[in-house]
Amino acid sequence: SQTIHQWPATLVQPVGSPLSLECTVEGTSNPNLYWYRQAAGRGLQLLFYSVGIGQISSEVPQNLSASRPQDRQFILSSKKLLLSDSGFYLCAWSQEGGSYNEQFFGPGTRLTVL
Amino acid sequence: GQNIDQPTEMTATEGAIVQINCTYQTSGFNGLFWYQQHAGEAPTFLSYNVLDGLEEKGRFSSFLSRSKGYSYLLLKELQMKDSASYLCAVLSYGNNRLAFGKGNQVVVIP
């Protein structure tokens, strides 16, 4: 069976510090991978999406970046965090290709920027 | 792009039935998903509709009308554990990205 992991689960960082959040998927190959952010009182916002190693699509301009160094690893980074980066960060995966594209979410990372 | 609209919050009594609506505007509609999200947790999949009509899965049913750009999620025999946010998400042709609504918070009271 497939599983998706995220770490850390919670993180408190000062403004201007760097960020690295990691997501890994097990039990599948060539997944589509996604990073979402959910700010308080707001919906899920898609940040990045990837269909393969080294292939990253950015959905919104921001001070965050994403990388996919391995097939089942997706990393969200920032060089300098802003207060507005606080939120609940969710990684998700879906099967490669296909029209039925259910996404499976990881447990999330709650980031507080102070 | 896509525009997805959901009401924000509703309260219902244990054992009752509640209907959560979602309207959307998108080009190249290719399916609509409903997810449940408990506070502080990740969303979990509830249902998927791509054709018009009703899909029933236990206490939960989801309906889709593509011509009206409308879906609803019906929760029957409400239980306290059903207190959660319910997210509507739309998939469009040509990409693998889901566009999510802001979610509808359902509060179940005894």
Side-chain angles (χ1 to χ4, degrees):
Chain A
S1 64
Q2 301 90 359
T3 54
I4 178 168
H5 306 278
Q6 284 186 248
W7 63 91
T10 59
L11 192 59
V12 180
Q13 291 283 107
V15 168
S17 64
L19 174 75
S20 181
L21 302 181
E22 190 160 344
C23 170
T24 58
V25 181
E26 296 176 358
T28 187
S29 58
N30 303 317
N32 297 320
L33 295 172
Y34 310 83
W35 276 112
Y36 290 89
R37 176 171 58 205
Q38 191 173 36
R42 302 181 67 178
L44 279 168
Q45 180 187 32
L46 180 63
L47 302 175
F48 299 96
Y49 127 83
S50 170
V51 296
I53 295 174
Q55 300 179 63
I56 310 292
S57 296
S58 175
E59 291 296 302
V60 293
Q62 59 206 308
N63 70 320
L64 299 171
S65 62
S67 62
R68 185 168 176 175
Q70 300 179 45
D71 181 45
R72 287 167 289 177
Q73 184 184 30
F74 206 22
I75 298 172
L76 184 69
S77 304
S78 174
K79 292 181 180 177
K80 287 186 178 181
L81 283 168
L82 306 173
L83 285 175
S84 58
D85 291 325
S86 292
F88 191 39
Y89 287 82
L90 288 157
C91 179
W93 74 273
S94 66
Q95 294 285 0
E96 175 194 19
S99 59
Y100 177 74
N101 207 29
E102 177 185 347
Q103 292 184 14
F104 301 90
F105 287 85
T109 295
R110 187 159 301 282
L111 171 67
T112 303
V113 182
L114 303 175
Chain B
Q2 296 118 329
N3 185 29
I4 300 165
D5 190 35
Q6 292 184 255
T8 53
E9 185 171 320
M10 57 175 59
T11 301
T13 308
E14 200 172 9
I17 299 173
V18 68
Q19 178 174 314
I20 305 166
N21 298 318
C22 174
T23 58
Y24 64 89
Q25 293 177 313
T26 186
S27 53
F29 175 81
N30 194 27
L32 186 143
F33 293 79
W34 282 98
Y35 282 82
Q36 180 191 60
Q37 186 178 25
H38 286 103
E41 298 181 11
T44 55
F45 169 80
L46 289 178
S47 69
Y48 169 72
N49 295 70
V50 68
L51 300 176
D52 290 348
L54 189 68
E55 295 280 341
E56 297 189 78
K57 195 185 283 188
R59 294 189 298 113
F60 294 178
S61 304
S62 55
F63 171 83
L64 175 68
S65 169
R66 289 173 296 172
S67 62
K68 295 181 180 177
Y70 167 70
S71 173
Y72 69 72
L73 180 70
L74 196 68
L75 285 61
K76 304 174 190 172
E77 301 168 20
L78 276 177
Q79 300 176 10
M80 298 300 290
K81 66 180 181 179
D82 297 331
S83 291
S85 182
Y86 291 85
L87 310 176
C88 166
V90 172
L91 182 68
S92 300
Y93 275 114
N95 63 57
N96 293 304
R97 285 158 277 187
L98 285 176
F100 282 85
K102 293 183 180 180
N104 183 311
Q105 186 68 40
V106 172
V107 178
V108 182
I109 57 175

